[in-house]
Amino acid sequence: MANDRSAQKYQDQTASLQAAVKLVSFSQDGHRSAYNDVFTHLLRLQNVDISAHHERSRVAFYPMLDDNIPVFLRSCLQNALSGRRTVGLFFRPGECFRRDRVKYRLKNLLFRVLKRMPTIRILTIMPFHVDPRFALVANDWIHDPQLWDMDLLPAAETQDALSATVRAAANGRQVVVALGGQNRLKGFDRFATLWQSDLRLRQRYLFVAAGTVAAECAGDAQAFAEADGLLLDRFISDEELLALYTASDLVWSCYAPHYNQASGIFGRAFQMGKPAIVRDGSYIATIARHLDHPVIAIAQDNATATNELLSWPTEPAPAKAHTTMIAAMRQRDTQVLLSAFGIDVSGLKSAGTEPLAR
């Protein structure tokens, strides 16, 4: 009897919805929670309820399948047997085309198979034009949501005192910020080495590293600080991040060669009109070119990279306002998501400017 009441309650709750989707997230670490919140809000604006509690829904959505591919695979097979559709976002499709380890060859084979299964939809978070091979291992793509999500977020109060502190420390120099966890994948070792390598860089710029430093980079952090780089080795709140973006002239998005994927740090820079420093030949560099966003795509050797940074204008032209483009990207990606869920998109609403409540 209790089960009958629960089933009726579920049906009553979802009767007015276009669909109910089960959200399956392996972790809430890092920016995962923010991704989940944005997708939940965006889809509810389309009358689609997305929740971890929708056990009876016909769609299971994995917003970051890379976190646990074996469990994702097992779930895909189980869902297929029960007639449930499985949709997953693929953050690191580029690994499928690496040949330096057997596991990447197996990954390529696995996703070539998964994309052909009728109950599974794999979406990359980078467009296929970034690397046409993505189409071999995924059904479709959306942009990294952190390229278009800020209109959906609660208004944040910037920490004006932190902006003022950074600008005072810069003393007229241009400010380069490296944000978030500071580790080798995010290129902090190179960030610190570049800063120390040439007096001309230190005279022209202030390098600011803001975020918890990984143990592997403790030596780099010490040397960076001793060379008068500004180091904030701690958790950085959303309000502080906004202040640091505001104070910056350039945003560091130059990551390790094997960390070749989308970047939320770059996405925020794009939305805020802040130029970025990226690795030449990286996926981020290609994305920036397609978005017509200003970047310095620096070379691998530090001498060339230093000259490229020194050649950046002291007063660059303002970045273009991409408001219309961002709205169109969000609209397109919402349509792709709904289609992947098997939902009719003929009545698609404008893809949301109503922000999340605090």
Side-chain angles (χ1 to χ4, degrees), residues 53-210:
H53 305 294
H54 286 323
E55 295 292 343
R56 299 166 64 91
S57 63
R58 65 182 182 85
V59 180
F61 177 44
Y62 293 75
M64 196 172 286
L65 67 85
D66 308 69
D67 277 349
N68 197 326
I69 290 177
V71 171
F72 173 74
L73 174 60
R74 185 172 69 242
S75 298
C76 284
L77 298 177
Q78 291 172 343
N79 291 342
L81 291 174
S82 63
R84 173 185 278 181
R85 181 182 289 241
T86 306
V87 179
L89 297 187
F90 202 0
F91 275 60
R92 296 189 286 275
E95 289 184 346
C96 292
F97 307 102
R98 291 175 58 176
R99 293 292 178 263
D100 52 320
R101 297 180 68 176
V102 172
K103 73 174 186 177
Y104 297 133
R105 296 173 184 267
L106 293 176
K107 191 173 185 178
N108 181 299
L109 178 61
L110 171 64
F111 280 92
R112 283 175 183 260
V113 172
L114 289 178
K115 72 155 286 186
R116 286 168 171 78
M117 294 182 67
T119 59
I120 299 172
R121 292 293 180 272
I122 307 294
L123 311 177
T124 67
I125 66 159
M126 289 183 286
F128 287 173
H129 59 243
V130 171
D131 187 336
R133 295 176 299 176
F134 292 168
L136 300 174
V137 294
N139 303 97
D140 208 333
W141 59 269
I142 65 169
H143 300 89
D144 180 352
Q146 292 189 323
L147 288 167
W148 50 247
D149 65 351
M150 290 187 69
D151 287 342
L152 298 178
L153 299 177
E157 295 181 3
T158 185
Q159 295 284 339
D160 293 331
L162 180 56
S163 295
T165 297
V166 171
R167 280 298 177 189
N171 193 25
R173 292 173 292 175
Q174 290 176 295
V175 175
V176 180
V177 294
L179 302 170
Q182 302 299 323
N183 52 53
R184 288 175 184 164
L185 282 178
K186 295 293 186 70
F188 175 69
D189 51 341
R190 188 168 190 212
F191 183 80
T193 300
L194 267 176
W195 172 249
Q196 300 165 66
S197 67
D198 198 304
L199 175 62
R200 294 174 299 164
L201 277 181
R202 298 193 295 277
Q203 291 173 334
R204 167 74 183 275
Y205 294 103
L206 172 66
F207 278 26
V208 181

Side-chain angles (χ1 to χ4, degrees), residues 201-328:
L201 277 181
R202 298 193 295 277
Q203 291 173 334
R204 167 74 183 275
Y205 294 103
L206 172 66
F207 278 26
V208 181
T212 303
V213 176
E216 65 183 6
C217 290
D220 296 307
Q222 181 177 347
F224 174 76
E226 289 175 351
D228 295 324
L230 181 55
L231 178 66
L232 303 175
D233 181 9
R234 57 178 175 79
F235 172 78
I236 303 297
S237 70
D238 289 344
E239 291 77 14
E240 289 175 318
L241 279 174
L242 181 60
L244 290 163
Y245 273 113
T246 300
S248 71
D249 295 287
L250 287 160
V251 176
W252 180 264
S253 299
C254 184
Y255 304 146
H258 58 282
Y259 188 79
N260 198 14
Q261 58 189 72
S263 162
I265 297 297
F266 171 77
R268 291 286 189 273
F270 168 71
Q271 291 187 76
M272 297 182 70
K274 293 291 182 175
I277 299 170
V278 302
R279 180 174 55 81
D280 188 30
S282 66
Y283 286 147
I284 302 174
T286 303
I287 290 168
R289 185 168 61 252
H290 280 275
L291 295 176
D292 194 22
H293 185 71
V295 296
I296 309 175
I298 61 174
Q300 278 295 98
D301 69 283
N302 285 346
T304 303
T306 295
N307 288 331
E308 290 166 336
L309 287 168
L310 292 173
S311 297
W312 182 252
T314 54
E315 295 185 7
K320 295 180 180 178
H322 291 304
T323 305
T324 302
M325 179 190 294
I326 289 169

